[in-house]
């Protein structure tokens, strides 16, 4: 009995063991609580990252689809454009017309747009001195809306753009060689010749294709840049989601261990 009593810890030693057990329980409780909080925050962040990843992926797919659609359009329009290496390229290839005036220019020049400015071409624009224009004051010179080789200056100086509803009346004021056109593609000539806008005009389609090709090429470059940015944004969002998936997975695995350690520490403190 005396030996058993002697084996019991002193009051000071027991108090220290109890204090240590309580401290261990408090530390374990704190660690478990921190892990639970971290897990809750990580899971919430993971949900946000998953939403951001899906949104960025959708934006990247949309940008990529728009890029490929424009790319296909440019390829199709390229096939309709005059060959860049043609021996006698048509003057149409050297003309820039303001959008909305393609049909007016086509009405004014028609098949003459297929002629070349090359001096050796069998059908060509050789150029001439531009006469002083004597168009009706209501008419706007077509040259204002067209950038063309100098060889077309004489022809363009004699062409005015008017409202379709006024063309017939204003045509009576035209000087010899003068022409009036509307943006819709009507033509009135000084000699009484008239061609309505609903008449077939292949040149108008070629000019519209040319303008659309130029615009589509610019849009394609912008779409390419947008696709690159969207891809970078998606890759960033995906990397963030993957990082949070790893962190959350580790916390999910650690949380039960922390909880078990907390329970063990609490039982040990209660036992003492």
């Amino acid at each position: 009995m005396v030996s058993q009593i002697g084996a019991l810890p002193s009051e000071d030693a027991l108090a220290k063991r109890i204090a240590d057990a309580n401290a261990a329980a408090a530390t374990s409780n704190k660690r478990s609580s921190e892990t639970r909080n971290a897990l809750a925050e990580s899971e919430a962040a993971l949900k946000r990252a998953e939403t951001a990843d899906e949104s960025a992926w959708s934006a990247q797919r949309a940008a990529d689809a728009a890029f490929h659609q424009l790319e296909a359009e440019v390829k199709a329009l390229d096939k309709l454009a005059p060959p860049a290496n043609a021996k006698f390229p048509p003057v149409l290839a050297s003309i820039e017309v303001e959008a909305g005036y393609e049909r007016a220019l086509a009405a004014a020049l028609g098949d003459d747009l297929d002629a070349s400015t090359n001096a050796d071409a069998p059908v060509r624009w050789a150029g001439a001195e531009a006469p002083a224009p004597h168009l009706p004051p209501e008419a706007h010179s077509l040259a204002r809306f067209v950038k063309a080789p100098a060889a077309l200056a004489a022809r363009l100086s004699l062409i005015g753009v008017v409202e379709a509803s006024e063309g017939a009346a204003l045509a009576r004021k035209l000087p010899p060689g003068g022409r009036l056109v509307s943006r819709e593609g009507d033509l009135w000539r000084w000699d009484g010749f008239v061609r309505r806008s609903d008449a077939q005009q292949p040149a108008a389609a070629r000019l519209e294709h040319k303008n659309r090709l130029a615009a589509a090429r610019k849009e394609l470059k912008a779409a390419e840049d947008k696709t690159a940015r969207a891809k970078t944004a998606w890759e960033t969002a995906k990397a963030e989601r993957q990082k949070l998936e790893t962190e959350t997975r580790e916390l999910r695995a650690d949380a039960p261990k922390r909880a078990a350690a907390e329970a063990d520490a609490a039982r040990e403190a209660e036992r003492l």
Side-chain angles (χ1 to χ4, degrees):
M1 176 67 72
V2 173
S3 62
Q4 289 176 347
I5 293 173
L8 292 174
S10 65
E11 289 184 5
D12 290 344
L14 181 60
K16 184 177 184 305
R17 286 177 60 185
I18 292 173
D20 288 346
N22 287 335
T27 298
S28 184
N29 175 266
K30 180 181 179 182
R31 288 175 179 172
S32 180
S33 178
E34 288 174 346
T35 300
R36 287 195 302 272
N37 292 337
L39 176 58
E41 291 175 1
S42 184
E43 286 179 333
L46 178 57
K47 287 183 179 180
R48 292 193 297 271
E50 287 171 343
T51 300
D53 182 19
E54 180 60 31
S55 177
W57 169 234
S58 297
Q60 195 274 335
R61 283 188 300 176
D64 193 55
F67 170 78
H68 287 298
Q69 184 177 354
L70 276 168
E71 186 178 44
E73 183 183 6
V74 167
K75 287 180 179 178
L77 290 170
D78 260 330
K79 293 179 180 179
L80 298 174
N85 58 351
K87 184 177 181 181
F88 302 124
V91 72
L92 181 147
S94 304
I95 290 177
E96 293 181 19
V97 56
E98 188 174 318
Y101 288 86
E102 299 94 343
R103 297 187 66 81
L105 181 61
L109 298 185
D111 292 340
D112 293 344
L113 285 166
D114 293 327
S116 177
T117 55
N118 189 300
D120 296 325
V123 180
R124 66 185 184 277
W125 287 91
E129 185 177 350
H134 296 288
L135 297 171
E138 297 87 348
H140 299 286
S141 174
L142 181 60
R144 289 175 51 186
F145 311 104
V146 178
K147 291 182 181 179
L152 275 68
R155 177 72 164 269
L156 292 175
S157 69
L158 292 171
I159 303 169
V161 181
V162 297
E163 295 294 330
S165 60
E166 300 175 354
L170 294 175
R172 302 188 184 97
K173 303 177 183 180
L174 284 172
R179 302 181 182 206
L180 295 177
V181 292
S182 71
R183 292 181 63 174
E184 293 78 11
D186 302 286
L187 167 69
W188 299 269
R189 236 166 42 188
W190 68 280
D191 56 4
F193 179 83
V194 177
R195 184 174 61 225
R196 292 192 333 207
S197 60
D198 55 358
Q200 190 174 10
Q201 295 189 58
R206 294 202 299 276
L207 285 166
E208 288 168 346
H209 288 156
K210 185 174 185 293
N211 269 3
R212 178 55 196 153
L213 176 58
R217 282 174 174 159
K218 291 180 181 178
E219 292 172 16
L220 182 63
K221 180 62 174 68
E224 185 178 19
D225 294 341
K226 184 177 181 180
T227 299
R229 291 194 301 271
K231 183 179 180 182
T232 299
W234 171 54
E235 288 175 344
T236 300
K238 180 174 66 172
E240 178 65 12
R241 174 184 57 77
Q242 291 173 338
K243 179 177 75 72
L244 286 167
E245 282 177 341
T246 300
E247 291 178 1
T248 303
R249 184 166 55 249
E250 292 174 352
L251 287 167
R252 285 170 178 166
D254 197 35
K257 297 176 185 177
R258 296 284 188 182
E262 178 188 13
D264 291 342
R267 283 195 296 271
E268 178 64 16
E270 291 174 0
R271 187 179 67 81
L272 295 176

